[in-house]
Structures are given as C-alpha cells and as structure tokens.
Amino acid sequence: MRKLIATVFNYSLDGLLSDPDTDFWTFCLSLPENNEPDDPTQLDFLRSAYAHIMGRTAYEGIFKSMTTAPDHPFSDILTAGRKVVFSRTMQTAEWANTTIADGDTTEEVDRLRQGVDGHIVVWGGVGLWRSLMRLDLIDELQVSMFPYVAGQGTRLFDGVPTSYELELVSSTASASGILELRYRRHR
C-alpha cells in the first residue's frame, strides 16, 4: 500500500506558514533552496511519486508557477506526474495528467493507495492537509522549518485532532539553516 506523505514548505519556527505578501514570504523566497531547489534527494522523492495530490487553491498556484517557469526543477516532474486535485467546485483541469477527485476523501485516497509502486505526495493547501489529518490518512509529514519567527501567518495545525503522535524519522539542516524534518505517524 502506498504511503501518503504531506510536504510542508516554508514553515516558521513559531509554527506558521509563509503567507504571500508577508516578510516571512519574502525571506523564504530569498533563500537559494527556494529559488533553485537542487537537492537530489528531494528531486528523486518527487520523481518517484505515484501521484501528487492537492486542493484546488494549491493546484491553481502550483499550475501557474510551474507553467510560467518551465526551467524550474519541479516543473518537468510535476507536469509529467499524475496529479489529483481534491475539489468539489472545479469542473476541469488544464494541466496535463490531472484528474479531479470530488467524492468522499477517504474513498478517493484509499483508491490511490492501492498498489506498491511509489508514494503519494500531498502538496496542500491548508484545508486539504487539515482534512487528511482529521481523517488520520497522512502517514508521514515532511516539514521544511525555516530559521525565522514569523509572528503572522496561517497556522497549519489549527482544527486538527488534539492528539496526533509522530515519530521523528530524520532531520537534516541546509546551508541556510533550514531544517528538513521527516515524521512518521505513530500507529
């Protein structure tokens, strides 16, 4: 069975996501890891995914970003990869290899999990992450924690279960001080 792995980018030390037009957003975009992501492990992780899932808002932002910057290291990977958008309002998707999941979230995820090749990358957005956590469907969290206290932004873990035990699998630091944390859901 395939694992569901949520990726959380641009996360501050005080537990906030970098919202557009904030100082934290500007800081995140100024670091080389965001401008030219070239970590072979991260690129292999994305390339070896069975599917990339996201909510409508995340899909729209990533689609726009990747199709207007075709030289970005993620662009070819995501364009060629299987993408599933969880949305009850989207009717069509312009990006190649994209399907829309508008049924029961647990049933849709269970269908994607069937098989053993690859894993499923959860890109976000916040609503999808929270929904998947409430349904206890996430197997791993990969968090990129930035050396920054944001003070303002969206809290990722608001509205999720009050008890959600995780086990640290790995932690590595980049030259810019970003901690790449990998947690597994303790079951």
Side-chain angles (χ1 to χ4, degrees):
M1 184 172 292
R2 294 182 185 101
K3 287 184 195 176
L4 201 67
I5 304 172
T7 58
V8 181
F9 298 104
N10 303 346
Y11 197 62
S12 71
L13 189 60
D14 57 337
L16 300 166
L17 295 168
S18 67
D19 290 340
D21 302 321
T22 62
D23 290 342
F24 182 36
W25 176 268
T26 303
F27 173 80
C28 292
L29 293 181
S30 74
L31 296 180
E33 290 87 349
N34 269 351
N35 291 323
E36 292 294 326
D38 62 356
D39 177 10
T41 304
Q42 180 68 16
L43 295 173
D44 287 343
F45 166 74
L46 296 176
R47 240 183 245 109
S48 64
Y50 170 76
H52 301 268
I53 68 173
M54 53 198 85
R56 180 192 52 79
T57 303
Y59 166 81
E60 290 170 350
I62 295 168
F63 170 67
K64 181 180 178 187
S65 174
M66 293 296 109
T67 56
T68 58
D71 57 337
H72 189 285
F74 294 176
S75 183
D76 286 345
I77 295 169
L78 288 172
T79 298
R82 174 183 286 117
K83 293 166 290 298
V84 179
V85 180
F86 283 76
S87 174
R88 294 195 190 344
T89 59
M90 251 177 88
Q91 300 300 312
T92 61
E94 295 177 48
W95 207 358
N97 306 314
T98 301
T99 58
I100 299 169
D102 61 359
D104 180 80
T105 302
T106 301
E107 290 174 11
E108 298 279 1
V109 168
D110 285 346
R111 272 193 288 279
L112 289 169
R113 282 187 161 162
Q114 298 307 309
V116 293
D117 60 317
H119 48 272
I120 302 162
V121 178
V122 182
W123 287 83
V126 174
L128 180 60
W129 281 325
R130 289 175 181 166
S131 175
L132 295 171
M133 288 184 76
R134 280 191 299 272
L135 295 168
D136 200 14
L137 296 174
I138 295 175
D139 299 300
E140 288 186 13
L141 284 165
Q142 292 189 359
V143 180
S144 296
M145 182 163 304
F146 281 63
Y148 197 92
V149 176
Q152 63 179 355
T154 302
R155 293 205 173 278
L156 175 60
F157 298 107
D158 282 354
V160 299
T162 56
S163 179
Y164 204 85
E165 187 176 345
L166 302 169
E167 172 186 351
L168 181 64
V169 175
S170 65
S171 64
T172 56
S174 75
S176 299
I178 300 169
L179 283 178
E180 298 294 341
L181 303 167
R182 189 170 144 219
Y183 292 98
R184 181 178 304 128
R185 175 74 171 112
H186 185 76
R187 298 192 190 276

